[in-house]
Amino acid sequence: MDQAIPVTRPAPAGWTTTTVQALMARPLLDLLFEAQSTHRRHFTANEVQLSTLLSIKTGGCPEDCGYCSQSARHAGTGVEATRLMAPAEVLQAARQAKADGATRFCMGAAWRNPKQRDMPALTEMVAQVRDLGLETCMTLGMLDADQADALKAAGLDYYNHNLDTAPDFYANVVTSRRYQDRLATLREVRQAGMRVCCGGIIGMGESRRQRAGLIAQLANLDPAPESVPINQLVPIAGTPLADTPALDPLELVRTVATARICMPDSMVRLSAGRQEMDDATQALCFAAGANSIFTGARLLTTPNPQADRDRDLFERLGLRPMSVPAR
Ligand code: SAM
Ligand code: DTB
Ligand code: SF4
């Protein structure tokens, strides 16, 4: 009986890796029960927010992120570098995403950071997509204060910038940019008044303690990110992480549940990796409090479940798409 009683939690800013790890290690059904109870106190049950991704500038990236198909340092991933798309083309893709039921449109670029010469096109894209009535999100790498202000002024609702993993595993994955650099960009995004989308990747060979370390970092951001993408590594041939052994799906479920409990007001997005996941694993992730997904046949460079598979899954689970929040 006592196991069904929620654990006493420290104040939002007080998570440590050890307290998060203890939560993550609870019997799975206790963890799921608490995560779903937390979810129902903060969100409408059975509703899932739909976001669609578009790669507005693909490949040729100078960074060395070990998981990424788009790094110029990993020869042989088969990804060809493109130029930044024209705003009109982006708008067309956003219209399609809206027609397919997405309420948020996320535009991603394979950059270390945007160049000044790109800013006029980027701000035009934001303004036009927003005019369609979609929420706007961009992920462009590191931002300085002026760039963050310009994107906010154009109407950007969210900026995605991930911490990716725990500080003590980070150097195994990325060396061209420091953890501190990521935190600095997140501060600029907040300072400019935008909402923060920040999460990470699991299944890169990190330990459970390191997954807990990532959640502690995210939950201790003050305030916590409004949106928390949990990506499962999509192993890509030609990258240093291509042969990483697959993660136990129940570790993904534990990570999602822990994120939900530690960040009760945040949207927790079951992000990359759904194509490789079976339906029962996805169902457990929703039970664990995931309430956002990417829809559309592609993520940035890798496949995502087709619309009919997601429609079928939603029907079988009794899930409904969330409507766009009022501005
Ligand atoms: N270049 C920008 C940056 O890294 O800040 C934005 C685009 S980047 C592709 C966005 C995020 O996608 C990364 O931070 C990482 O968390 C996720 N990602 C990239 N490749 C992935 C993969 N193979 N599997 C899972 N997640 C991945
Ligand atoms: C995030 O956390 N996941 C998305 C989004 N932010 C930009 C990207 C997933 C990329 C998966 C690998 C690919 O398609 O290249
Ligand atoms: Fe570049 Fe982003 Fe890929 Fe890293 S994750 S290599 S910064 S596109």
Side-chain angles (χ1 to χ4, degrees):
M1 189 62 191
D2 64 317
Q3 287 188 341
I5 298 170
V7 288
T8 309
R9 291 194 298 275
W15 292 102
T16 65
T17 300
T18 301
T19 54
V20 176
Q21 191 186 2
L23 184 58
M24 206 180 255
R26 297 184 79 204
L28 184 69
L29 301 188
D30 294 352
L31 187 58
L32 278 175
F33 178 79
E34 185 173 356
Q36 182 60 213
S37 306
T38 304
H39 183 243
R40 283 168 186 245
R41 282 196 297 275
H42 294 265
F43 291 95
T44 306
N46 303 309
E47 280 193 1
V48 176
Q49 189 273 335
L50 309 183
S51 294
T52 292
L53 261 175
L54 177 68
S55 182
I56 59 172
K57 193 273 165 208
T58 306
C61 183
E63 302 282 63
D64 69 354
C65 311
Y67 46 78
C68 189
S69 63
Q70 304 197 70
S71 167
R73 319 245 193 139
H74 314 325
T77 62
V79 170
E80 277 183 35
T82 67
R83 295 162 67 91
L84 179 63
M85 283 170 76
E89 270 180 282
V90 174
L91 188 63
Q92 203 178 341
R95 277 205 189 95
Q96 187 61 52
K98 186 178 180 185
D100 293 340
T103 60
R104 191 179 307 166
F105 193 65
C106 308
M107 296 159 266
W111 285 325
R112 175 174 166 82
N113 52 262
K115 307 258 181 324
Q116 280 318 110
R117 64 166 186 265
D118 299 315
M119 292 306 293
L122 294 171
T123 51
E124 192 179 334
M125 287 172 201
V126 171
Q128 292 184 355
V129 172
R130 196 165 196 270
D131 281 349
L132 295 178
L134 287 165
E135 291 186 306
T136 53
C137 178
M138 278 183 161
T139 181
L140 313 168
M142 298 187 280
L143 291 185
D144 64 28
D146 289 346
Q147 292 172 328
D149 287 344
L151 292 169
K152 169 67 183 170
L156 190 63
D157 297 306
Y158 288 84
Y159 194 77
N160 167 247
H161 199 65
N162 290 336
L163 289 178
D164 273 357
T165 189
D168 61 340
F169 191 69
Y170 184 78
N172 295 47
V173 182
V174 183
T175 67
S176 57
R177 170 195 312 182
R178 293 169 309 161
Y179 213 78
Q180 285 307 323
D181 298 326
R182 291 182 184 257
L183 291 167
T185 291
L186 293 170
R187 276 194 296 275
E188 297 299 356
V189 171
R190 272 281 174 234
Q191 196 75 33
M194 283 183 282
R195 296 187 190 136
V196 170
C197 173
C198 182
I201 312 179
I202 67 168
M204 298 193 293
E206 76 287 340
S207 62
R208 181 187 278 179
R209 183 170 176 80
Q210 286 163 331
R211 287 189 281 282
L214 168 66
I215 302 289
Q217 285 288 327
L218 295 168
N220 287 337
L221 291 172
D222 192 11
E226 282 79 5
S227 173
V228 179
I230 304 292
N231 296 280
Q232 176 170 277
L233 176 72
V234 180
I236 292 169
T239 63
L241 297 186
D243 298 322
T244 310
L247 185 70
D248 172 1
L250 295 179
E251 284 300 306
L252 167 68
V253 174
R254 286 184 180 278
T255 306
V256 169
T258 306
R260 165 53 63 224
I261 294 166
C262 296
M263 292 170 278
D265 296 316
S266 306
M267 308 288 289
V268 175
R269 182 173 309 118
L270 183 58
S271 299
R274 284 199 311 116
Q275 171 75 358
E276 293 73 21
M277 251 169 244
D278 62 26
D279 292 351
T281 301
Q282 292 193 58
L284 280 172
C285 289
F286 294 124
N291 65 341
S292 173
I293 57 169
F294 284 120
T295 52
R298 288 192 87 63
L299 293 167
L300 292 173
T301 67
T302 63
N304 196 43
Q306 298 282 340
D308 53 352
R309 180 176 168 205
D310 279 342
R311 243 192 319 271
D312 175 63
L313 182 65
F314 271 44
E315 217 162 88
R316 283 157 63 220
L317 301 182
L319 297 176
R320 298 182 302 274
M322 199 179 282
S323 48
V324 69
R327 288 209 169 115

